[in-house]
Amino acid sequence: MSYISAPMVAHLWAHQSQDSARNGSNFYFEGKDIYSYGRHFRCASIETNQRGESVYLVTTRTYSTTTAKHMHMVRNAIPCGEQIFNTWREVSFSNGRLSESKYLEAAHYIVDQVERIGECLDAQRRSRSQDYRDEVKDHLLDIGCWVEFWGLDKRQKSTKGRWLMPVLEKLASANGKIRRQYWHVTGEGSVSNYNFSLTDKSQYQELFLDLLARNLFHASDSGEFEQQVSQLFIDRSGDELLWEHFRQRQEKQEEVNRRREEIRERRRAEQRERWQKENEERQRVACMTFEEKKGLWYSGELSNAWFSVPCGLEFNTLLRVRNGRIETSKGIRVEAEEAARLWRLVERFHQNETNFRHDMVHDANNNRWSINSYQNDILTAGCHRISYQEMYNAARQLGIAA
């Protein structure tokens, strides 16, 4: 069997060019269904009703990084202009009919959309930037197309020959048993933590009845539909000036965003100016001799980031006194009290190197550094090699050396 790439598998499925194809073992299709890793994860299916109309059902579930890539290929493979329903609910015909469980899943898809409409209505009351009318229109149109495609607006026989009633009537029912059946639904989740427990969504039935009474599931004239949806937001919020208030919040937020952008741009300009000055200073320092740089470092005009002792010298570290502490050119700081203790040791080592003994240096951050050796008047402590003269000069500045 010749190798088939994963994008080609998705293409062959979307166009139904052949009955099946697979890319290895983790991405394949059989007939109308395409899977990632197995039948437990159906990426999408192509459903055809009794009128010969086809739609693509694309799952919104998640599973893994690889499956996410498969889903991207599936979506890209679907021809432009085709009807797509994005839902994790797996509804499908069997010999042109719905089973009772699939019919219930089809009803729960409508509950999902009504819930999202409710969330949009609530969000609009507080929104400072987003107009949710287009999103609500899309959900309403989805419900209308969904009902029409599956024939849910009329009674139909199930796969077992039982009559299935128009679904909108069932969703509108006040009967407690029917309400529990149609408004207690399973929630969406990833396959890895899939939860089959039921969630009560009956609080959205009143909104559903309102939408039904307004005939919003069957859009006719686009202008009238736009106006009806706009009025829906006003009526549900109880605020006759809802859109005026939204416009005011929007303008205020835009002003806040503008000021924030001005601040960000000013900070970016300041940052660019700092970078330019630092670059100029770096180039200036690069042209200096070591002696010139050393003088600037001692005075505190040059930071450790821009200063280092050249290689090839017996020592690799300089000392300076700032704010009553000793600082090394490698960024370590030692308090005056600790410096006085160390100076007494250094004096004994200087007078007679055979008196050397290992000790510990406690820096200003309470870190401990080993004194490794003292030879030829060079103290080695960790990565520091410091000359006696350098230590003597620092000790004199601190007033602890004669």
Side-chain angles (χ1 to χ4, degrees), residues 4 16 18 26-27 37 67 79 106 151-152 166 203 219 223 264 268 291 302 323 326 358 363 389 392 398 401:
I4 301 178
Q16 292 288 279
Q18 57 191 56
N26 64 358
F27 190 45
Y37 283 101
T67 293
L152 301 175
Q203 71 267 30
R264 283 193 291 268
R268 285 193 288 265
E291 291 300 320
L302 200 61
N323 302 320
I326 290 181
H358 292 281
D363 67 20
Q389 189 62 47
Y392 175 72
L398 280 176

Side-chain angles (χ1 to χ4, degrees), residues 140-151:
L140 290 169
L141 293 172
D142 269 353
I143 293 173
C145 293
W146 181 266
V147 169
E148 183 179 358
F149 177 79
W150 299 105

Side-chain angles (χ1 to χ4, degrees), residues 74-204:
V74 165
R75 293 189 179 94
N76 283 346
I78 297 174
C80 293
E82 295 295 327
Q83 175 72 58
I84 300 173
F85 291 112
N86 293 293
T87 176
W88 70 277
R89 300 192 181 278
E90 296 187 2
V91 185
S92 59
F93 284 116
S94 177
N95 296 322
R97 292 185 178 185
L98 291 171
S99 66
E100 292 180 46
S101 62
K102 297 300 183 184
Y103 168 82
L104 193 58
E105 277 292 277
H108 289 169
Y109 171 87
I110 298 173
V111 173
D112 296 338
Q113 301 304 306
V114 172
E115 179 181 13
R116 293 188 182 107
I117 291 171
E119 291 169 349
C120 290
L121 293 170
D122 288 339
Q124 190 65 67
R125 300 174 191 180
R126 303 177 299 277
S127 177
R128 297 181 178 184
S129 58
Q130 184 172 350
D131 187 337
Y132 288 91
R133 280 176 288 191
D134 285 342
E135 190 171 337
V136 166
K137 284 186 288 185
D138 288 343
H139 290 312
L140 290 169
L141 293 172
D142 269 353
I143 293 173
C145 293
W146 181 266
V147 169
E148 183 179 358
F149 177 79
W150 299 105
L152 301 175
D153 54 343
K154 58 180 74 70
R155 70 175 193 161
Q156 56 182 293
K157 283 193 174 181
S158 71
T159 52
K160 293 185 178 180
R162 296 173 182 163
W163 283 109
L164 302 172
M165 296 297 105
V167 78
L168 298 183
E169 294 179 12
K170 291 292 186 180
L171 288 168
S173 175
N175 180 279
K177 181 179 179 180
I178 295 176
R179 286 186 68 191
R180 284 191 298 275
Q181 185 179 14
Y182 285 85
W183 289 95
H184 288 215
V185 304
T186 52
E188 182 176 359
S190 68
V191 172
S192 57
N193 62 355
Y194 200 77
N195 184 3
F196 282 99
S197 62
L198 297 178
T199 303
D200 182 3
K201 302 291 182 180
S202 59
Q203 71 267 30
Y204 292 104

Side-chain angles (χ1 to χ4, degrees), residues 281 284-285 288-310 315-322 325-333 384 386 390-391 393-394 397:
E281 181 66 10
R284 185 180 72 86
V285 169
M288 293 181 180
T289 65
F290 173 58
E291 291 300 320
E292 290 174 325
K293 287 191 252 186
K294 187 164 66 170
L296 289 176
W297 184 81
Y298 280 137
S299 67
E301 296 179 50
L302 200 61
S303 70
N304 290 333
W306 290 6
F307 177 79
S308 62
V309 176
F315 60 91
N316 66 1
T317 306
L318 299 184
L319 304 179
R320 67 185 176 190
V321 176
R322 296 182 71 189
R325 294 190 294 193
I326 290 181
E327 293 183 0
T328 78
S329 57
K330 290 183 177 293
I332 300 302
R333 295 185 299 275
H384 293 66
I386 312 169
E390 194 70 17
M391 292 183 284
N393 292 339
Q397 291 180 59

Side-chain angles (χ1 to χ4, degrees), residues 237-392:
S237 68
D239 182 2
E240 288 292 332
L241 299 176
L242 173 69
W243 298 115
E244 175 62 20
H245 293 156
F246 168 65
R247 186 187 63 77
Q248 292 172 358
R249 290 195 302 272
Q250 191 176 37
E251 290 177 352
K252 189 179 294 184
Q253 186 61 48
E254 288 173 354
E255 177 61 22
V256 170
N257 293 342
R258 185 188 63 77
R259 288 199 301 269
R260 287 175 178 171
E261 183 56 34
E262 287 178 352
I263 293 171
R264 283 193 291 268
E265 182 53 40
R266 185 166 62 250
R267 287 174 178 169
R268 285 193 288 265
E270 291 170 353
Q271 181 71 60
R272 288 193 295 268
E273 186 178 352
R274 282 197 300 272
W275 286 342
Q276 183 177 353
K277 289 181 178 178
E278 287 175 4
N279 189 49
E280 292 172 353
E281 181 66 10
R282 189 178 292 108
Q283 292 176 2
R284 185 180 72 86
V285 169
C287 297
M288 293 181 180
T289 65
F290 173 58
E291 291 300 320
E292 290 174 325
K293 287 191 252 186
K294 187 164 66 170
L296 289 176
W297 184 81
Y298 280 137
S299 67
E301 296 179 50
L302 200 61
S303 70
N304 290 333
W306 290 6
F307 177 79
S308 62
V309 176
C311 297
L313 301 178
E314 290 182 336
F315 60 91
N316 66 1
T317 306
L318 299 184
L319 304 179
R320 67 185 176 190
V321 176
R322 296 182 71 189
N323 302 320
R325 294 190 294 193
I326 290 181
E327 293 183 0
T328 78
S329 57
K330 290 183 177 293
I332 300 302
R333 295 185 299 275
V334 177
E335 299 291 354
E337 183 179 351
E338 177 70 356
R341 183 184 75 83
L342 294 172
W343 175 245
R344 290 193 293 271
L345 290 174
V346 170
E347 278 285 71
R348 288 201 296 270
F349 300 158
H350 173 65
Q351 293 167 9
N352 187 350
E353 291 187 358
T354 59
N355 290 330
F356 171 76
R357 62 180 175 80
H358 292 281
D359 206 310
M360 303 295 292
V361 180
H362 294 263
D363 67 20
N365 294 321
N366 203 31
N367 295 314
R368 294 160 66 86
W369 301 79
S370 295
I371 298 179
N372 306 108
S373 67
Y374 189 92
Q375 292 180 345
N376 301 322
D377 271 340
I378 299 293
L379 175 73
T380 302
C383 61
H384 293 66
R385 295 197 309 276
I386 312 169
S387 71
Y388 172 79
Q389 189 62 47
E390 194 70 17
M391 292 183 284
Y392 175 72

